[in-house]
Amino acid sequence: MTLQRLWCAELSLADFRNHADTTLTLDERPVCLFGANGAGKTNLIEALTTLAPGRGLRGAALIDMARGGEKGAYDRARPWSVSGVFHLGPNDFRIGAGAERTNEGGVKRVSRMDGHAAESGEIARAARMIWVTPAMDRLFSGPPGDRRRFLDRLVFARASEHGHAAAAYERALRERQRLLNDNVRDDSWLTGLEREMAAHGSAIAAARVETIGQLQDAILARPEGAFPKSMLVLEGELEAQFAAGGKSGDIEDRFAADLRINRGLDASAGRALRGPQRADLLVRHAPKDMPAAQCSTGEQKALLLGLVLAQARALADDHGAGPALLLIDEAAAHLDAARRAALFEELLALTGQAWLTGTDRDLFEAFGDRAQMFEVRQGHALAA
């Protein structure tokens, strides 16, 4: 069976970061963006990620992405907008995103697909994306929250409903904690929120376990090469129960009961002490049998790239998912020439288009003419 390919054929930015009006016309080859620091390379791939659900590459507020910030966007009805034309197999579609002024004087996010308002799940299924940024170079030795957010982006790329479950869980979690903090002990109100947390929390944990299982299989199936294999362990109460073969209904009921019992402890702590928001993803360097957190920065970068390359392959092979764009900001950081060349060969073999940034064109010389090059200069992108 021939696997479908996913690629962006056009990316247009208006008043986004330092790009007043930029359009890239593209083919399906990898996209390499090079230029001096501050020229706007990362802004281009951040713009691409605004076309996916969520807050994008930097997790920025809507107004912060506008050219000139809040002050610069004061008189614009649309502080910024981004649109992209994508090809997935024989189909093509356009996704648009942006910020618009509200009657109350604030800003809201708008998303459209082929001219109609689109739900996040619809967009997530159409244009899957995975990204790696320099901030992730020490992901494995950083705080658990960073790894949890990284894990959930991987899950979301495979299962678009994960985003809805995570958002609904967070809403119920915050409301329950507000009641506990205010010493509101309305049993029916709290029980309803706890049942909601249990249902969504169980769905989150189940999706994480399934995704990690598929990802581990894809990692082990990769040939030995420049990017070492990793062994993954998902820590978390609910996740452990699913991994042990527990039934969803039983796990959900048990979690709801635990939340009820722990109301006093959670009120004293000011936060829920149990649940999927406490989970962590632990990674080991398989050839060295060493925790990733104890590896060098270069080894951690290689492990991270090996992990996302495996995820990209797993998505392409999953009939319920599909190919994903893989975006790597500062792709050459901590990689020697041999590893860069190996990375490029792996990217060329993927069914999803790759986007990379770097300071110099020479960093991408191993691609030859198998990639398309753009020089970025102060908010302008020129084909090179």
Side-chain angles (χ1 to χ4, degrees), residues 100-319:
E100 289 186 354
R101 297 287 179 186
T102 66
N103 293 333
E104 294 75 26
V107 293
K108 65 177 181 179
R109 178 189 173 96
V110 291
S111 297
R112 304 185 71 81
M113 186 169 174
D114 287 336
H116 66 268
E119 298 293 330
S120 61
E122 180 184 9
I123 294 175
R125 289 188 293 273
R128 302 174 194 273
M129 298 185 198
I130 308 169
W131 56 81
V132 177
T133 69
M136 297 178 187
D137 287 351
R138 300 291 292 182
L139 177 72
F140 304 125
S141 55
D146 289 348
R147 289 187 294 279
R148 196 162 48 244
R149 284 186 290 272
F150 172 74
L151 166 63
D152 283 335
R153 281 197 297 272
L154 296 182
V155 178
F156 186 59
R158 185 187 67 83
S160 60
E161 65 274 10
H162 185 70
H164 169 73
Y169 179 83
E170 286 295 327
R171 285 193 298 269
L173 173 70
R174 288 193 300 269
E175 179 63 12
R176 173 181 180 269
Q177 195 61 47
R178 184 187 68 80
L179 295 177
L180 294 177
N181 292 345
D182 292 345
N183 201 32
V184 176
R185 295 295 188 267
D186 186 309
D187 184 70
S188 60
W189 196 352
L190 286 167
T191 297
L193 289 170
E194 287 161 356
R195 291 303 312 184
E196 188 175 352
M197 287 174 64
H200 294 302
S202 297
I204 291 167
R208 286 173 174 172
V209 170
E210 186 174 352
T211 297
I212 288 299
Q214 290 184 350
L215 180 54
Q216 185 68 78
D217 289 343
I219 290 171
L220 296 177
R222 283 170 49 83
E224 300 294 342
F227 302 99
K229 296 181 179 181
S230 54
M231 300 303 295
L232 311 177
V233 174
L234 185 55
E235 284 194 341
E237 284 185 289
L238 300 184
E239 290 81 1
Q241 293 175 48
F242 278 107
K247 295 182 178 179
S248 180
D250 294 339
I251 294 171
E252 184 177 326
D253 290 342
R254 193 177 301 119
F255 183 32
D258 288 341
L259 288 170
R260 181 185 182 89
I261 292 170
N262 285 326
R263 288 174 185 174
L265 291 174
D266 292 348
S268 298
R271 65 187 187 278
L273 299 175
R274 305 178 76 168
Q277 78 281 1
R278 309 283 293 177
D280 194 3
L281 174 64
L282 304 183
V283 179
R284 294 185 71 84
H285 188 300
K288 290 189 172 184
D289 192 24
M290 176 187 294
Q294 297 177 15
C295 294
S296 70
T297 301
E299 288 174 325
Q300 290 192 43
K301 178 66 174 281
L303 282 168
L304 177 62
L305 289 173
L307 194 155
V308 297
L309 288 167
Q311 173 71 349
R313 290 183 179 275
L315 288 172
D317 292 339
D318 186 342
H319 298 307

